[in-house]
Amino acid sequence: MPKQRVMVVGGGLAGLAATMRFAEMGIPVDLMSLTPVKRSHSVCAQGGINSVNDQTRQLGDSEWKHFDDTVYGGDFLQHQPPVHEMALWAPRIIDLMDRLGVPFNRTPEGYRDQRRFGGTLYKRTAFSGATTGQQLLYALDEQVRRWEAEGLVTKYEFWDFLGPILDDNGICRGCVGQNLTDMEIRSFPADAVVLATGGCGLIYGRSTMSMACNGSAVSRAFQHGALYGNGEFVQVHPTAVPGADKLRLMSESARGEGGRVWVPRKPQDPRDPREIPEAERYFFLEERYPAYGNLVPRDIATREIFNVCIYEGLSVEKERPCVYLDLTHLPRTTLDLKLGGILEIYEKFQGVDPRDVPMKIFPAVHYTMGGLWADYERTSEGRLDIGSPKNQATNIPGLFAIGECDYQYHGANRLGANSLLSCIFSGLIVAPGIENLLKSSSHGASDDQPSSLWNAAQEKYQQEHDALLNRSGGGENPYLIHQELGETMTKAATVVRHNRDLSAALEKVRELQERTSRCSLSDTGNWTNQNVVFTKALQDMFPLAKTILEGALARDECRGAHFKPDFTMPGIEAEDPAERRREAEKWCDRFAENTKKWLKSTVAECGTDSEPKLRYEDVDTSLIPPRPRLYGLVGAEVIEEVWKERVAAGSQATSSRPNGEKAEATKHSPSTVG
C-alpha cells in the first residue's frame, strides 16, 4: 500500500503545530510556505497567549469563564463547542509550549508571569516579553526541524500555493505550487491538504499584517468551491503606529501592563504631553468603562479612539488623527523586561523613546475573524469529538483550514491573546481527524489517481502564468490598482460602515477588478519575478474584497467589529425609575428581535463570475445563551436586570450549562446553511 502524505500550506503557528502532530503520528508531511517558516506572520504576534492558570483560579477563574468571555467578546457569533474545547485545552497547550522551551516571563519565585488582556478581568495571558509569537514559532519550528531530519517532513519554502487539485468527484487530491526563485510550477499529490495561510490584510493596502498576508491562498480555494464564513468581520486594532509603507502594531500588552490612553482636554494642546497636568488629560476609556478601563475589547476601544479623534475633534494632531498611549509612568526596568520588543519598534520608526515620551497611535486593520468555512463534530456534552475527520474540514472533501484563515473561533470580535491559542489548538486537533480520514477506505488515496490529473492541473496554471507574462506593455499598473483597492476598502469597511459607502465601494472594486485584467508587467523574466507573483495575488484579492463588502452591506446591525451607526442600540436615557424600566423592556425586545434575525454566520459561495453568493447559517449557542453585550452602555444595569428576569422566567433560551451537563447533539455541516 502506498505511503499516504499530507500537504500543509503555511508555516506559521497553526501550520507548524499541525506538521508536528502529523510527524509524531508517523504521517509524512510536505510543508509549503510563501516565506521562510521562521518569517511567517506569527512571528509578529506580540502580547501573549491566553489560558486559565493557578493564579487566576485562586480568584475564581475557570475554563468555563474563559469560554464565556470569548463568546461574549465575540458577540456570540461563533459555534460554541469548538470554543469550549479550546478553552479546556488552553492550560495544556501553554504547558506544552513551556516544555518545548518557550522562554515565558517568570515571577521572582519562578512561576510563569501573567498579564491582563482586553475583554477579561483576569490575568490569563502568559507572555515572552513583547515577542511571544516569535518565541512560540521558534519552539515549534525546532520540533518540525527535528522531524525534518528524521525524513518525515519536507519543506518547500518560497513556494506559492496556486490552487487545490480536485478529482472528478470534487475531492481534494493535492495542490499546485510555484517556486518563487526559478518560477517552476509543480503539482503536489496529497491525501489531504491543510491551509494555514493566515489573514488577508493586504486587501486593505496597509495593515499591521505582514506583506505576505494577501489572502491569495484562501481566495484560490474559495474560487474552487470552498465556502467562506463571516467575511465582513475584520478586526481593527486600537493601537498601531502609522507609517508610509505599512502600519506597525503596538501590542495590547502595553495596556495590559498599565499603559493609559488619553488626549488633552484642550483640542491639539501645543504643550509637551509631559507638561500637561493629569487633571487636563482626558482618559476617556477609563472614564467611560470603569470596570475594564483601557482593556475593553478591541472593537470598543477602536471605536472610542476613532470617535474621540474624528467626531469629537480631540485628536492630538490636527492633520493626523492619533491619541496618546502613555507608558512613561511605569518603571523603565519593567518596560524593558516586559515590553522591550515593541518599544524598540516604536523608537526605531518614530525616533522617540516611548519610555520618556507618550506614543502617538491610531487604529489599524489587524485580523480577520472571517475565513474559510470549517466544520466540526460535537459530543452530546458540547465538546469536540477529537479524532473526527469533520474537525476543521472545509466543504471540499480532503481540504482543511486552520488558524487565522478559518472562521471558527472568534465570532464578531477576537479577544486579544486568543489568536495564538486558536492557531496552535486548531493545528493540534486537525491532525488526529485527518489520520482517521486517511485510514478510511471511502476517502481513497491520491496515488490511485491517474497521472493526467496532476499533469492537467500543472499545465493549466503554467498556461495562465505564461499568458500573464506575455501581455502587451502599456497597460494598467498593478501596484497603483492595489493602492486604490486599499484606499477603497479602508474608507468603506473598517471602523464605521454606512450602506451608501459599501455600495459605492462594491462598484469601485468591480471596476478595479476589470482594470486588473488589463495589467501589464514591468518584469517578464523567469527568475524571482515578484511582479508576476504580486499581480496574481492582486487578481485573487477581489473575490474576498467583494465578499467582505457584500457581507457588510447585507448585515444591517451592529455586532462586534461590524459597526453601522444607523443600526446602533442606544443606552437608557430616562431618569425616572419607571420610565427607565419601560425603556429597558423595549431595549430587550429589540435585542431579542435582532438576535433572532442576525445571530447567524454569513456563508459565501464564489460564483463563476467571482461574485459572492451569500446565505446564512444558524450558530450553535446551546452552551451559553446569547445575552446583551453591555460594556459601558448607559443604563446597562437596568437592561441586565430585565434580561435576567426574562431568562429566569423562561422567555429566552435556557440558562448556561455547566461543563458536565448534557445538551442535545446538533449536526453542523454545509447542508444546514439556509
Side-chain angles (χ1 to χ4, degrees), residues 232-456:
E232 63 265 35
F233 293 98
V234 177
Q235 184 167 84
V236 181
H237 197 286
T239 56
V241 183
D245 54 345
K246 72 183 302 292
L247 308 175
R248 291 174 175 84
L249 177 66
M250 282 295 108
S251 170
E252 193 168 302
S253 57
R255 287 173 286 137
E257 294 297 339
R260 305 179 74 186
V261 176
W262 63 278
V263 292
R265 292 188 182 274
K266 176 184 176 182
Q268 290 83 55
D269 194 318
R271 288 177 290 178
D272 186 303
R274 293 167 291 185
E275 297 175 357
I276 300 176
E278 184 149 330
E280 298 178 32
R281 300 178 180 187
Y282 183 20
F283 296 97
F284 53 92
L285 292 178
E286 297 173 30
E287 291 186 23
R288 299 176 187 183
Y289 305 91
Y292 290 89
N294 292 289
L295 287 171
V296 289
R298 290 177 176 177
D299 60 318
I300 293 174
T302 294
R303 284 197 292 276
E304 291 292 357
I305 293 171
F306 185 85
N307 286 339
V308 161
C309 291
I310 304 302
Y311 297 127
E312 298 177 29
L314 293 175
S315 174
V316 169
E317 297 181 10
K318 188 173 183 179
E319 301 301 326
R320 184 185 68 161
C322 58
V323 300
Y324 287 126
L325 174 56
D326 196 347
L327 300 168
T328 58
H329 57 287
L330 300 173
R332 292 182 71 92
T333 52
T334 300
L335 294 175
D336 290 338
L337 177 65
K338 297 185 175 184
L339 300 173
I342 61 171
L343 302 186
E344 290 171 6
I345 292 172
Y346 190 88
E347 188 170 10
K348 178 177 181 180
F349 288 97
Q350 298 298 304
V352 177
D353 188 345
R355 302 166 187 83
D356 299 323
V357 180
M359 293 185 280
K360 295 178 181 180
I361 55 87
F362 194 70
V365 170
H366 177 62
Y367 189 89
T368 50
M369 276 79 70
L372 289 174
W373 182 94
D375 205 350
Y376 66 91
E377 182 146 348
R378 61 167 285 169
T379 67
S380 59
E381 292 80 18
R383 296 188 57 176
L384 284 192
D385 181 2
I386 302 299
S388 169
K390 287 186 177 181
N391 294 335
Q392 304 298 141
T394 71
N395 59 299
I396 296 177
L399 181 66
F400 296 77
I402 58 177
E404 189 178 348
C405 78
D406 81 57
Y407 88 128
Q408 194 72 276
Y409 295 95
H410 306 295
N413 171 64
R414 174 175 68 82
L415 293 189
N418 266 355
S419 59
L420 302 185
L421 175 63
S422 65
C423 285
I424 296 174
F425 172 71
S426 59
L428 294 177
I429 67 159
V430 75
I434 290 178
E435 181 186 35
N436 288 330
L437 176 69
L438 300 186
K439 292 176 181 177
S440 168
S441 58
S442 62
H443 183 68
S446 60
D447 281 3
D448 296 336
Q449 303 301 312
S451 59
S452 59
L453 180 66
W454 324 114
N455 295 338

Side-chain angles (χ1 to χ4, degrees), residues 473-488:
E476 294 270 6
N477 184 328
Y479 297 98
L480 293 180
I481 291 178
H482 175 250
Q483 183 177 332
E484 288 189 57
L485 174 64
E487 291 170 352
T488 300

